[in-house]
Amino acid sequence: MKGERARLERLLGGAELAWLVERVRKRLARGEALTSTVALTGATAEQRVAVHRLLGRRPRPGSTLTVSLAAVDDVLRRSGACSDGLATAVVTLTGPVTERAAVAAALERAWREAFAPLEAVVDDQPGLAAWYLSVRDTGLVRRLAGNPEEARPLLDDLAKVIRNLPGTGEPLGTFAARVTNHAHSLDDGRPLATLTLNAARALSGVPDGKGAEWRRDVWASVGLLKDEVSSTVLTMGLPGDDLTPTGRALAAWCDAGQPVVLTLRQLVRDPPRLSAQPVAVCENPAVISMAADRLGPACRPLVCTNGQPGAAVLHLLRLLVDAGADLAYHGDFDWGGLRIGNVLFDRLPMRPWRFDTASYRAAAPAGHSLAGTATEARWDRDLGNAMITAGKAVEEELVLDDLLEDLRA
C-alpha cells in the first residue's frame, strides 16, 4: 500500500496537478461520472508539462489546458499505480469523499424526524394545518434552531404547548413551567414564544401585529395571562348575569349606574355571560364619566378603549362579538384617533358611530387646529381628506351631547 501511494504521489500528488485532483474530488462529491473533460484557463507552463507527462503526450501550445478524465483513469489502471482507477486514486490521496446528495438526504431525514412530534399534534387540529406548513416550509425553525439536533427539543416543547391550548386563564409563566418545565420558555424573544404566538394566532384568529400589547392580546386569546392585572378595560352599563362573579359585579354596577374597571384576569378566568346587543365603544374616559353623571342606570352598554386598545379591551370586545353584539365605535377626529380607529376596524367587525365624513364636517367648526402626520381612515376613505381640507381636530368632549343622547336607553 505504501508503494502504491508513493507512485500515486509521483503521478498526481504534485502541486502542478492539485487543480486536477480538486476538480475530480468535487465531481465525486456531486455524484458525477468521471468520463468527461476538465479545463484550466490560464495554465502555467509547469501545469501543462505535468499533464502532458502524466498522459504521455507532447506539450501543446496555449494557456488553456483540457484534460480527459477517462484518459487519466486509463493511465492509472494500465500503469498499475491504481488498478481501481481515478476515483480511488483521489480518495487515497485526499481522504474519503461524501456525496452531497447523500448528505442532503440525511439532513432532510433528520429534519423530518425533528418535526414528527409537532406534525402528530397538528393532525389532531386541522385549523393549524396552514400554520404548520408555513412553519415547516419557510425555514423559520431552521433560522431559530440552526440544525435538527437543536430543533428537536424546541419542536417537542412546541408540540406539548399546542396540545395544552387553549388554556384556562393560567399565568403564562406558570403554564410554561407546567408544560415545558421551564418558567421562562415563553418569555418574549424566546424561540418557543415566537413559534407559539403564531400558532395561537392561527387558533384564535387574532390579526397579525407587533408590540407588547399585541402579544398580551394573543396570549389572552388562547387563555393565557401575561401581566394579567395591569391590563384593564373601563365599561359602563354592561348588563351582567347571576352565573359568574364577574357577571354579578357587572350587574350590580349597571344597576347603580356606575362605571366599572375589569382586568384581563377577570375576563379570561371568569368571563361574564354576554348577549347579542348593541354596544357603543368610545376612545376617551371622559365619555364614560359624563355618561355616569348624566345618564346613570339609563346608559346603554358602553366600552372605553382609553386610547390605543390594550389586551383587556380587545379581549372584551372579542367576547362581545362572539356573543353576537353589534359594536359601534366613536373616537377623536384627529390623526391619532384615526390610527386607533384603523386598529379596531381592522381587527373587529364594527361600524362607525358618528365617526365618518358627514359627522366630521358637522362638528369641524367647533374644533381646533389639526396637527401631526396625516393618516387615512380605512373605514371611510373620504374622512382623511375632509380633515386635511378643514384643518380642524374634534375631540369626543366637543360632541358629548350628541354621544350621550345616543347612549340614553
Side-chain angles (χ1 to χ4, degrees), residues 8 27 34 53 56 87 95 112 116 148 161 163 167 180 199 211 245 251 255 261 265 305 314 319 324 353 372 403:
L8 285 175
R27 294 200 174 197
L34 305 181
R53 183 186 301 120
R112 286 196 300 272
V161 168
R163 192 177 289 115
T180 71
D255 290 343
V261 174
R265 176 188 176 95
T305 69
L314 291 170
L319 290 176
W353 165 35
L403 299 180

Side-chain angles (χ1 to χ4, degrees), residues 70-82:
V72 177
D73 183 83
D74 183 60
V75 167
L76 292 172
R77 292 178 189 273
R78 285 190 296 103
S79 68
C82 186

Side-chain angles (χ1 to χ4, degrees), residues 233-259:
V233 54
L234 176 63
T235 71
M236 172 84 182
L238 275 180
D241 60 74
D242 294 328
L243 303 175
T244 65
T246 304
R248 287 192 288 273
L250 279 175
W253 290 117
C254 183
D255 290 343
Q258 291 293 340

Side-chain angles (χ1 to χ4, degrees), residues 97-147:
V97 178
T98 303
E99 288 191 19
R100 295 177 186 176
V103 172
L107 184 61
E108 284 304 309
R109 184 165 56 251
W111 276 113
R112 286 196 300 272
E113 291 171 357
F115 272 99
L118 181 60
E119 185 174 5
V121 172
V122 172
D123 285 343
D124 295 332
Q125 299 198 43
L128 288 175
W131 165 81
Y132 172 73
L133 290 176
S134 70
V135 169
R136 188 195 66 186
D137 297 340
T138 60
L140 175 59
V141 174
R142 301 184 189 215
R143 291 194 297 274
L144 292 173
N147 58 63

